[in-house]
Amino acid sequence: MSRLRRMAAPLVLAVGGGLFAAAPAAEAAPAVCDTTSTPYTYVVTYQPGTRASAVDKELAAKCGTKVAYYAEIGVAIASSRNADFQQKIGVYRAYSGGKDVASAASARTSLGAVRTLEDTRSTAAAGDLSAQQWDMKAIHAPEANKIFQGSRAVTVGVLDSGIDATHPALRAAVSASASAGCVTGAPDLSPASWAPTTSDHGTHVAGTIAGKDQAAGFTGIAPGVRLASVKVVNDAGYIFPESAVCGFVWAAKHGFQVTNNSYYVDPGMFFCSREPGDAAAYEAVRRAIEYSTHHGVLNVSAAGNSGFDTTAQTSDPNRPHPVDSSCGILPKAIDGVVTVSSVGYAGTKSSFSNYGEIDVTAPGGDFIQTPPEGAGPSCPLSTTVFGGPYGSKCGTSMASPHAAGVAALLASRFRGIPPQLLAKILTGEADPVKCASTETECTGPVKNNSYYGHGLVNALDAVR
């Protein structure tokens, strides 16, 4: 789901709404660099367009080595063993999520335990699973599939834990040439780098968007589109800033029309743009997202599973600093990203779903909204890797790909449409969901409120 943080940037220049440091002056390499301690990966911000040679020179002088450099946005990914590398570069220009986690006393557990709420999985591989797909019925996906299933010219990037390209419902959809591993911050094209290892979260998301298995009776929202596996989740379940930067830039450079982002950037929930370290992470991710938007990508993000109003938080359980208006959950805090809340079987907000600044809502399940017998599990059914080919998961992680799938249908109909207009159609065609009298924390009009945004996404409206 999403997490937020921000950046502070004293002694930086503000240009075009972004923060960057002036190109560093040449300086002599340090006499001695640490060669034995654990290396950590950092995002380092530069003025966009800074020459790679200048980046290499500064990093070497300050005991770092370049992993990748995205000159278009002025973001370098660097590795260093030196404990003072961030101080050498500047605390508002460099940040390491890995080092932050290693130094924190309370590192969180894996993606599956924290980000996705799971119920007992179904392992049925045969039979008609369509009867259990109440989530698809809720957004009229079966009717939409009879009219239009999307175009192979449209690619949806699944920035997640990898996709199992051998799964019977996904093997026809996954594009190996468009897939990459981004865990290190540098794209890796080898199939092993973008395949799932410790989590099938990404595979579940992918099935909702574009899965199709006629033998099992399982169909996603837009089975006619292509999927790209962009792995940003490491084996410990973390999504660090460098991985997100790599993923968004990859999406931009490879012509994706939509990305799904069922996560928040680690290790905190809120990144604050006025805080040391946070500032560099926030700015690096912001630039990457805005670059992707400029290149025609609509980015869709989960709202989060903490059950709170993201606009009213004053603290982050994972971070020592206060949360204010300069803080946000990444990637959803960045302008242009479509944020999706979750509803359960009854069509009301899932008990765990974050709310506040919401664009649309979609089925993500809820343990306390139990479907009638035969209608399926409380959590949406989709493709899995471990424990069987199909299983159910709850979370805004599951809601977000429903919206991404509908966006893919719209992108298939309106080829070349800019992401801003695509988002406007997606929200405009959603079915309004009003705040119930019992939902006292839900505020706003029926067509745009804090629980459901502009409403429940509608696949049928997207194709007709």
Side-chain angles (χ1 to χ4, degrees):
M1 334 251 74
S2 296
R3 301 191 173 188
L4 302 191
R5 291 205 188 179
R6 307 240 170 148
M7 312 183 150
L11 303 180
V12 295
L13 305 177
V15 175
L19 304 177
F20 61 80
E27 57 180 89
V32 179
C33 291
D34 188 343
T35 59
T36 59
S37 299
T38 301
Y40 291 106
T41 303
Y42 295 77
V43 288
V44 182
T45 58
Y46 290 85
Q47 180 172 346
T50 299
R51 295 190 308 275
S53 59
V55 173
D56 290 336
K57 188 172 184 178
E58 184 193 28
L59 294 179
K62 297 178 179 177
C63 298
T65 56
K66 184 177 69 183
V67 175
Y69 176 51
Y70 303 102
E72 304 90 339
I73 60 173
V75 175
I77 313 302
S79 176
S80 179
R81 297 178 185 273
N82 272 55
D84 62 349
F85 177 75
Q86 185 184 39
Q87 285 69 35
K88 288 176 180 290
I89 293 290
V91 295
Y92 291 97
R93 289 184 53 217
Y95 175 76
S96 173
K99 189 172 187 294
D100 211 353
V101 167
S103 62
S106 57
R108 72 171 179 82
T109 55
S110 69
L111 176 79
V114 175
R115 308 237 177 130
T116 306
L117 310 167
E118 300 180 12
D119 67 358
T120 304
R121 294 174 172 178
S122 163
T123 57
D128 186 3
L129 296 180
S130 63
Q132 300 183 51
Q133 291 186 274
W134 61 264
D135 55 314
M136 295 298 167
K137 297 180 180 69
I139 63 168
H140 305 288
E143 301 100 302
N145 281 171
K146 294 176 182 178
I147 299 171
F148 185 49
Q149 298 189 357
S151 168
R152 287 287 290 175
V154 168
T155 301
V156 180
V158 178
L159 277 60
D160 214 293
S161 63
I163 301 175
D164 178 10
T166 68
H167 194 288
L170 298 171
R171 57 191 173 209
V174 177
S175 170
S177 62
S179 299
C182 272
V183 170
T184 65
D188 183 344
L189 279 62
S190 65
S193 73
W194 49 263
T197 47
T198 59
S199 169
D200 57 8
H201 187 273
T203 299
H204 196 279
V205 163
T208 295
I209 297 169
K212 187 171 185 178
D213 182 353
Q214 290 182 321
F218 175 86
T219 307
I221 296 162
V225 306
R226 294 196 313 164
L227 293 171
S229 175
V230 183
K231 188 172 181 177
V232 297
V233 184
N234 68 22
D235 284 352
Y238 290 99
I239 301 93
F240 292 130
E242 62 269 19
S243 304
V245 167
C246 173
F248 288 116
V249 174
W250 178 267
K253 291 185 174 181
H254 289 79
F256 297 2
Q257 286 71 38
V258 180
T259 70
N260 183 79
N261 303 272
S262 289
Y263 62 88
Y264 56 83
V265 174
D266 285 309
M269 184 171 292
F270 289 85
F271 279 81
C272 299
S273 60
R274 300 190 186 119
E275 292 290 333
D278 274 28
Y282 190 96
E283 179 66 3
V285 174
R286 183 195 67 78
R287 291 184 193 178
I289 291 173
E290 291 191 354
Y291 179 76
S292 70
T293 302
H294 180 72
H295 285 77
V297 184
L298 177 66
N299 299 299
V300 180
S301 177
N305 291 344
S306 299
F308 57 49
D309 181 350
T310 59
T311 66
Q313 293 306 114
T314 58
S315 64
D316 182 338
N318 299 312
R319 311 299 297 160
H321 54 64
V323 170
D324 58 26
S325 61
S326 73
C327 305
I329 295 172
L330 300 176
K332 81 179 191 67
I334 306 305
D335 289 346
V337 176
V338 173
T339 301
V340 188
S341 67
S342 172
V343 295
Y345 179 81
T348 56
K349 186 184 79 66
S350 303
S351 55
F352 53 77
S353 180
N354 286 354
Y355 57 98
E357 294 179 344
I358 301 298
D359 293 299
V360 290
T361 195
D366 192 350
F367 300 116
I368 63 176
Q369 297 183 41
T370 307
E373 186 175 355
S378 298
C379 303
L381 186 75
S382 190
T383 47
T384 53
V385 179
F386 310 116
Y390 295 95
S392 56
K393 296 180 190 287
C394 276
T396 56
S397 276
M398 285 58 254
S400 183
H402 286 80
V406 174
L409 291 176
L410 289 168
S412 297
R413 280 191 62 200
F414 304 109
R415 297 297 311 288
I417 187 173
Q420 297 87 346
L421 185 53
L422 181 58
K424 189 171 184 178
I425 299 174
L426 177 68
T427 57
E429 292 192 347
D431 297 331
V433 181
K434 68 178 181 179
C435 300
S437 58
T438 55
E439 295 175 326
T440 56
E441 293 176 314
C442 182
T443 59
V446 63
K447 293 185 178 180
N448 190 10
N449 57 63
S450 63
Y451 269 20
Y452 309 108
H454 295 277
L456 184 70
V457 295
N458 189 315
L460 182 58
D461 283 351
V463 302
R464 69 182 178 182

